[in-house]
Amino acid sequence: MFPTLLPTGLSPALALLLIAVSFLTSAFTAAFGIGGGVAMLGALAGAVPPGVVIAVHGLVQFGSNVGRTIVQRAHTLWPLVARFTAGSVVGVGLGAYFIVALPERILLGVLGSFILAMTWVPKPRVPGLASSGLLIGGALASIISMFVGAVGPFVQALLLPLGLEKRQLVATHAACQTFQHLLKVFAFGALGFAFTEWLPLIVAMIASGFAGTIAGTKLLDRLPERWFLITVKAALTLVGLDLLRRAAGY
């Protein structure tokens, strides 16, 4: 990538590293449904100015999830995606207010507690829980996403109790995240963020992420269902505990 195409202050070496990270994180997310967005957020946080991290992350993740949705579309449960997206529309509308009104520690604590509860606490069988839960969850995920960026584990924890087969879980998660990140990109655009300077780097990261998605999908097809669920629950637990640690200020 030519230096003239890079944002001010970003070296070619660092740009190439971000493109490589996009491949690896997309591959991991395509295989397990979570983890890549959080890792990408961490990489961006160490490479780009703090004021642009969440906005750039949102557009990169939108492109990554579009690729995963296309590759895994045969397994997507679209009625669940529609309910989640409907809630996300409301959440993004509220997110512009909450992004400056709520302390970060509160949101991190709520997010971490929710992930652990949805992963390990037995859920009662309540009629209509899939519909209402996804509507409310979509709204909450969008609000929190505007503030902390990566809420893939939150969405995964929301879908996990529905008992989906591994391919359905990963594909539906990707579609939900696609629409959520698209709404977030629109919101940041309305708030005045200029994506133009970052577009060449973002396009390169999206292309690299698509290649990672293809590689990760092949791994997903080979994973036994039991080991897939064990890995997902372990990853969710680690993320949830880390969020609670950050909420406590450690």
Side-chain angles (χ1 to χ4, degrees):
M1 183 179 294
F2 296 106
T4 54
L5 296 177
L6 297 177
T8 303
L10 189 68
S11 69
L14 196 52
L16 289 174
L17 179 60
L18 289 175
I19 292 169
V21 168
S22 181
F23 174 88
L24 294 173
T25 55
S26 292
F28 189 87
T29 304
F32 298 103
I34 55 169
V38 175
M40 176 55 68
L41 184 64
L44 286 171
V48 306
V52 305
V53 169
I54 302 300
V56 171
H57 177 268
L59 191 50
V60 171
Q61 290 303 108
F62 166 68
S64 176
N65 281 284
V66 166
R68 195 156 69 254
T69 299
I70 292 172
V71 172
Q72 301 176 348
R73 64 188 181 280
H75 304 287
T76 303
L77 299 180
W78 293 106
L80 300 184
V81 176
R83 294 164 193 157
F84 178 87
T85 303
S88 295
V89 172
V90 177
V92 166
L94 295 173
Y97 169 77
F98 283 111
I99 195 172
V100 295
L102 284 181
E104 181 181 9
R105 285 188 179 182
I106 292 179
L107 287 173
L108 291 175
V110 170
L111 182 57
S113 300
F114 180 87
I115 288 172
L116 292 174
M118 294 300 289
T119 303
W120 294 110
V121 176
K123 266 69 70 178
R125 294 186 176 276
V126 180
L129 183 60
S131 299
S132 60
L134 286 175
L135 282 169
I136 297 170
L140 290 175
S142 294
I143 292 172
I144 298 172
S145 180
M146 292 285 289
F147 199 90
V148 300
V151 293
F154 181 100
V155 181
Q156 184 80 297
L158 197 66
L159 294 170
L160 196 62
L162 301 181
L164 308 182
E165 185 266 338
K166 64 177 183 179
R167 295 176 184 83
Q168 292 176 330
L169 181 63
V170 174
T172 303
H173 177 270
C176 287
Q177 289 277 268
T178 294
F179 289 105
Q180 182 185 64
H181 283 299
L182 177 61
L183 291 168
K184 187 167 68 174
V185 168
F186 282 137
F188 275 109
L191 290 171
F193 183 83
F195 288 97
T196 306
E197 183 184 13
W198 295 88
L199 277 181
L201 175 63
I202 289 172
V203 169
M205 292 176 68
I206 289 174
S208 174
F210 185 73
T213 290
I214 294 175
T217 299
K218 292 180 179 179
L219 175 60
L220 173 64
D221 291 336
R222 297 190 182 100
L223 281 173
E225 190 82 25
R226 178 171 176 267
W227 288 109
F228 171 81
L229 290 175
I230 289 174
T231 303
V232 168
K233 284 196 169 188
L236 286 172
T237 301
L238 290 174
V239 170
L241 291 174
D242 183 62
L243 288 168
L244 292 180
R245 176 191 63 80
R246 291 164 57 191
Y250 294 107

